[in-house]
Every structure is written in C-alpha cells, then in structure tokens.
Amino acid sequence: MNDFSFGLATDIRFGKDAVASIGEIALEYGAKKVLLAADKGIRGTGLPTSIRGYLAAAGIACVDFDKIVPNPRISDCEEGARLGLEEQINLVIAVGGGSSIDTSKAIAGMIGHQTSDFRRIQFPNAYTCDPCPLIAVPTTAGTGSEVTTCGVITNAQTHEKVYCYDIKCAPTVALCDPAVLMGLPSAIAAATGIDALTHAIEGYVCTCTNPVTEAFGLYAVKKISQHFRKYIYDRDIESCSEIMVGSLLAGLSFGYSDTAAVHALAETIGGRYDTPHGVANAIFLADVCEYNIPANLPKYVDIARAMGVTGQGLTDRELAQAGVDEIRRLVADVRIPRLNELPGIDPEDFEELAEKCVTHVSNPDNPIVLTKEEFLCFLNKAYNA
Ligand SMILES: NC(=O)c1ccc[n+]([C@@H]2O[C@H](COP(=O)([O-])OP(=O)(O)OC[C@H]3O[C@@H](n4cnc5c(N)ncnc54)[C@H](O)[C@@H]3O)[C@@H](O)[C@H]2O)c1
Ligand SMILES: [Fe+2]
C-alpha cells in the first residue's frame, strides 16, 4: 500500500434544488461582487439567469463572463482573469460542465496571483497564493471538476492540453443539484457519463491510489454502471441523483490520485481534434481495461463485481473479462460515435499522437506503463473498429 495523507479541499453541498441556496452560500464565503462564468450552451438553459436572481436577492453584484468553449482555451481564461481583476470581483461562480468549471479554476487562480498570465499557474508551477474563492455548479455528471485539483486547458498554439494543478486549485464549494441534469441532451449525458465511469475505473486502478481514493472509485463504478441506462433513457430525478453522486465520487477518486492510459489517449485526441472529452474516453475505455487486466487482475475482478457482473463458476480472469464486456455493451448501448466517425481524424497523425501519449502525465500511473507501439495499436484498433 502507498503511504498517504488525505484532506478534502472542497466543501460539498448536494441536494435537489440546492442551487436556490447559492446566494446564502456565496455570502458565507464573503461574496460582494462575483464573476458568473457560464458558456453559451448553459446560458440557453436559463440557469445563469436564475442564479443571477438568487445573488441579487442576497445583495451580491454580478459580472457575466461567457467566453468559454468546450475544451477551453488559455486566451479565454486570461480574458476572464483580466475582467475579474478590472471589476475587482471577490468570488467566482462556475456554472456548467468541465469546460466552464476549468476555465473558472484558471480565472480564480490567476486572480489570486494578481495576474492574467496563465503561465504563472500552469503546471508544473505550484500556486504560491490562494486563488479567489470559487463555487462550482456542475451541469454535467462527468468530469468531477467540481472537486478535483486541476483545470484542463487547451493550448491553441500547440494543440495540447495543459493544466493548472494544485490542491489550492480545487473549488471552494461544489454545489451539486441533480435537478440541473434533467434537461441535459442525451448525447452529452452519455459522453459525459462515460467520462465519469472512466474516472471511477482509472481512479481505482491507477498506481498512485490510497485506500480513500480506492473506496471512492469502486463505489463510483457501482453507482454509475448500475444507474447509467436509466439516466440516459428515463432521466428521472433519482437516476440524475445517482449519476451526479457517482461523478462526484469518481472526481474525488482520480482527483486525489490520477487517471491513467485512457485519459492519456483521450486528452491527446481532444487537444489535437477538439473531440468532446467523454467521447474520446468512451472510444478507448474497454480496450485499455482489457489490456490492463493482467497487470492488476484483483482490481478488474472488483470492477466487474461492482458493475453487477456475477458469472457463476467463472475464473477470476473470465470474470474480469466479463466486466470489460459489460463496459463495451454500456458504451454501445448509449451510442457513442466511433473514432473514424469523428471530424478531422487522420491516421497519418497517429505516430505523432502515440508519441505524445507516452509522455502524458498519466501514462506512468497506468497499471502497465505503455510504449509508443502499444498506444499506436489502440489508435489503429479504434480507427478500424
Ligand atoms: N478538471 C478536471 O478534473 C477534468 C476532468 C475531466 C475532464 N475535464 C475537461 O472538461 C472538459 C469537458 O467538460 P464536459 O464533458 O463537462 O463538457 P463541456 O463543459 O465542454 O460541455 C459540453 C457541452 O454541453 C453543454 N451543456 C453542459 N451542461 C448542459 C446542460 N445542463 N444543459 C444543456 N447543455 C449543457 C455545454 O454548453 C457544452 O456545449 C474538457 O475540456 C475536459 O478536458 C476536466
Ligand atoms: Fe476525464
């Protein structure tokens, strides 16, 4: 077992219609003027308008920032930091999926360091100042960014994903309201949900776990896999609650340990082609799990059992494989696009992408550290599937 310490950086508030209490929570954290960061897709849902109303009722002024795109860009984060500094805001509220929350983490980090230069907080630079307080209101059940210690930002020049990463980067408050998932379009729910399942699995099997992150990860596998189809096809408040909790627990798992090779592939693909993050994970999840089984058979047996696979009379190896087969069925059932159906994918790029995967921060934490040839096999297999 690895030695460990564990301290949770984020105050978690979970409940149906919890968003209505955002004014009081913001006051608890001393808010006078907030930056409300939400992308244009979220603004279409009306949620930011409601939040502005709750803030106004609590006597809190509000400045809007909507220059956020899926797979957010450094330049947009820097623009948000400039606006926050000019307006002298003292709290950031992120409303949205991982893209809005990660942008807000970068903005809050830069404001705390009195700069609008992202390089000041870009990994591997540690934070030397506290960020501006941040309330994250997740509207996807996917990234777990509402509790993780990193923000994932795309460098538009190099087409690579880079990070702000520090325990201080974690949001101050995660305000999780499952009701906001009720209207999430099914394709986004499916892709983001598989991202959450990937976090749960990789948070459990990666090589830098501790008993706390393992417990979060395995329970998250159970919650997500057992409620996922109902969430996609029926979308009642119960299934939204289960998947939102699953995503939160998965975030606590990988966010305090790491992801592994699925994310090495997904972030490399996402940086190059702007692929939705959950779609990129879904493409590789079953294949990478299958390949990893021999490196940690007991954990893949645990995952199969957590997914509800029973398999009377099966050997451990067969049970672990049955778990992978169930992952493959789950991904197929919710109709995630294949790699060769995505725009812009060019197999000529695969050699270079495989090289980038090898040096990805999470490759050393995969149960087997993968080589360029192995990553190339995953890319070609997925492209020809
Ligand atoms: N920081 C972390 O720990 C972490 C972990 C995993 C992924 N990420 C990053 O998060 C980003 C992906 O985030 P995501 O998968 O949540 O998607 P996203 O934030 O990019 O959102 C995808 C789309 O869904 C829309 N949307 C979100 N919620 C909605 C709702 N309730 N109703 C209607 N539309 C809604 C958005 O407007 C957007 O168009 C990527 O950049 C990825 O690299 C970060
Ligand atoms: Fe992810």
Side-chain angles (χ1 to χ4, degrees):
M1 191 189 296
N2 300 321
D3 293 347
F4 73 98
S5 60
F6 188 87
L8 186 54
T10 303
D11 172 0
I12 299 168
R13 313 278 180 107
F14 186 98
K16 184 172 170 291
D17 301 324
V19 163
S21 58
I22 197 162
E24 292 96 88
I25 296 173
L27 286 177
E28 273 180 51
Y29 286 91
K32 292 196 165 57
K33 190 176 190 183
V34 309
L35 186 78
L36 182 60
D39 68 29
K40 293 192 176 68
I42 305 297
R43 287 186 190 268
T45 69
L47 184 59
T49 308
S50 308
I51 289 179
R52 221 178 292 114
Y54 298 133
L55 294 171
I60 300 168
C62 184
V63 178
D64 277 298
F65 181 71
D66 71 354
K67 203 153 182 282
I68 301 167
V69 293
N71 298 315
R73 305 295 193 261
I74 291 175
S75 55
D76 294 337
C77 298
E78 291 180 334
E79 191 174 323
R82 269 192 298 277
L83 178 65
L85 287 166
E86 270 164 32
E87 293 281 350
Q88 300 190 324
I89 62 99
N90 73 340
L91 186 135
V92 179
I93 294 179
V95 187
S99 299
S100 295
I101 299 175
D102 288 359
T103 300
S104 301
K105 285 174 167 175
I107 292 172
M110 283 184 273
I111 290 175
H113 289 81
Q114 293 294 304
T115 180
S116 57
D117 183 349
F118 180 71
R119 286 169 300 183
R120 177 64 194 78
I121 56 163
Q122 183 176 327
F123 178 80
N125 292 331
Y127 284 34
T128 50
C129 302
D130 286 334
C132 182
L134 168 63
I135 299 177
V137 182
T139 64
T140 62
T143 67
S145 182
E146 66 275 14
V147 288
T148 67
T149 55
C150 68
V152 188
I153 311 294
T154 298
N155 180 328
Q157 269 77 50
T158 63
H159 301 287
E160 285 170 329
K161 292 205 172 195
V162 295
Y163 311 92
C164 41
Y165 171 71
D166 195 290
I167 186 80
K168 290 176 193 259
C169 177
T172 320
V173 180
L175 182 54
C176 304
D177 183 343
V180 307
L181 298 177
M182 301 283 284
L184 187 65
S186 288
I188 299 176
T192 50
I194 297 288
D195 183 29
L197 179 63
T198 309
H199 295 152
I201 292 173
E202 296 208 302
Y204 185 58
V205 301
C206 71
T207 55
C208 58
T209 58
N210 64 57
V212 181
T213 59
E214 288 179 3
F216 284 140
L218 195 58
Y219 194 49
V221 170
K222 181 174 167 145
K223 286 267 177 214
I224 297 165
S225 58
Q226 298 193 357
H227 297 275
F228 196 49
R229 289 181 178 90
K230 193 161 178 50
Y231 169 66
I232 298 302
Y233 294 116
D234 296 350
R235 199 69 64 74
D236 56 358
I237 188 68
E238 267 317 301
S239 62
C240 289
S241 302
E242 296 287 356
I243 297 295
M244 187 167 255
V245 163
S247 171
L248 175 83
L249 294 171
L252 290 170
S253 178
F254 89 90
Y256 285 79
S257 57
D258 196 7
T259 54
V262 182
H263 271 77
L265 283 152
E267 290 188 353
T268 304
I269 291 281
R272 172 60 65 94
Y273 302 113
D274 220 9
T275 310
H277 177 68
V279 170
N281 277 309
I283 286 167
F284 299 105
L285 179 60
D287 288 346
V288 172
C289 286
E290 191 164 42
Y291 196 78
N292 280 344
I293 288 174
N296 201 332
L297 180 57
K299 281 200 169 176
Y300 283 96
V301 169
D302 291 342
I303 287 169
R305 291 207 171 102
M307 295 186 77
V309 175
T310 47
Q312 289 265 327
L314 295 184
T315 63
D316 281 358
R317 185 69 177 78
E318 288 164 343
L319 193 55
Q321 182 61 46
V324 169
D325 296 342
E326 174 56 13
I327 295 171
R328 209 164 260 132
R329 267 193 302 276
L330 205 62
V331 171
D333 283 0
V334 298
R335 298 195 194 94
I336 306 279
R338 294 167 196 273
L339 186 59
N340 54 23
E341 292 169 343
L342 299 175
I345 305 285
D346 183 353
E348 297 265 304
D349 298 338
F350 287 179
E351 286 265 343
E352 188 194 330
L353 295 177
E355 254 164 47
K356 288 194 169 176
C357 288
V358 173
T359 56
H360 186 278
V361 286
S362 297
N363 186 30
D365 293 325
N366 195 57
I368 315 166
V369 181
L370 299 179
T371 62
K372 178 184 165 189
E373 288 66 37
E374 289 169 312
F375 278 117
L376 201 50
C377 278
F378 285 120
L379 288 162
N380 283 319
K381 184 174 177 195
Y383 190 76
N384 295 312

